Amino acid sequence: QVQLVESGGGLVQTGGSLRLSCAASGRTFFSLVMGWFRQAPGKEREFVAAIRWSDGGTYYADSVKGRFAISRDTAKDTVYLQMNSLKPEDTAVYYCGAGIIFSQSVASGREYSYWGQGTQVTVSS
């Protein structure tokens, strides 16, 4: 079992920045992929970014490339999502997920076995 706890959400103006954290516990993580997804009201959950715990390899949705950066701290068992140049369309509940996932499937939420409770990000215009 893996437990995930997100933090760092909040209200920010357009163009601002936030850093989300996802603290993981419960098992060894070497073989895991950790991902961030988001869900806006009335929309389906969508992939944002993912990182391979073993070597730090990263993946991004086109909509956030160049603005968001995912990273991990293996000493703290924590994954971060640095979000810059935020836009109103980034407003959503952001979820952290984890699972043993092939690289070609990291954008599929169904592949993730564990999820956090979510943290709200609101970008005002």
Side-chain angles (χ1 to χ4, degrees), residues 4 22 24 32-36 49-53 70 79 96-99 112:
L4 303 172
C22 174
L32 292 180
V33 169
M34 307 284 290
W36 286 98
I51 188 166
R52 290 196 304 266
W53 195 264
I70 189 170
V79 172
C96 177
Y112 289 74

Side-chain angles (χ1 to χ4, degrees), residues 6-77:
E6 301 102 330
S7 61
L11 173 64
V12 64
Q13 291 185 334
T14 296
S17 298
L18 282 174
R19 189 178 79 158
L20 305 183
S21 299
C22 174
S25 62
R27 61 159 283 175
T28 56
F29 310 120
F30 186 80
S31 57
L32 292 180
V33 169
M34 307 284 290
W36 286 98
F37 287 72
R38 65 187 181 188
Q39 187 166 20
K43 295 186 177 181
E44 293 186 354
R45 189 174 298 191
E46 66 172 357
F47 171 73
V48 176
I51 188 166
R52 290 196 304 266
W53 195 264
S54 58
D55 63 3
T58 58
Y59 311 83
Y60 294 95
D62 288 343
S63 59
V64 305
K65 280 181 182 176
R67 299 190 299 125
F68 291 10
I70 189 170
S71 62
R72 79 212 191 296
D73 185 330
T74 56
K76 296 182 178 180
D77 291 338

Side-chain angles (χ1 to χ4, degrees), residues 10-18 67-68 83-91 121-125:
L11 173 64
V12 64
Q13 291 185 334
T14 296
S17 298
L18 282 174
R67 299 190 299 125
F68 291 10
M83 304 186 295
N84 301 322
S85 302
L86 283 161
K87 306 174 182 179
E89 51 264 44
D90 295 317
T91 295
V121 171
T122 302
V123 184
S124 63
S125 56

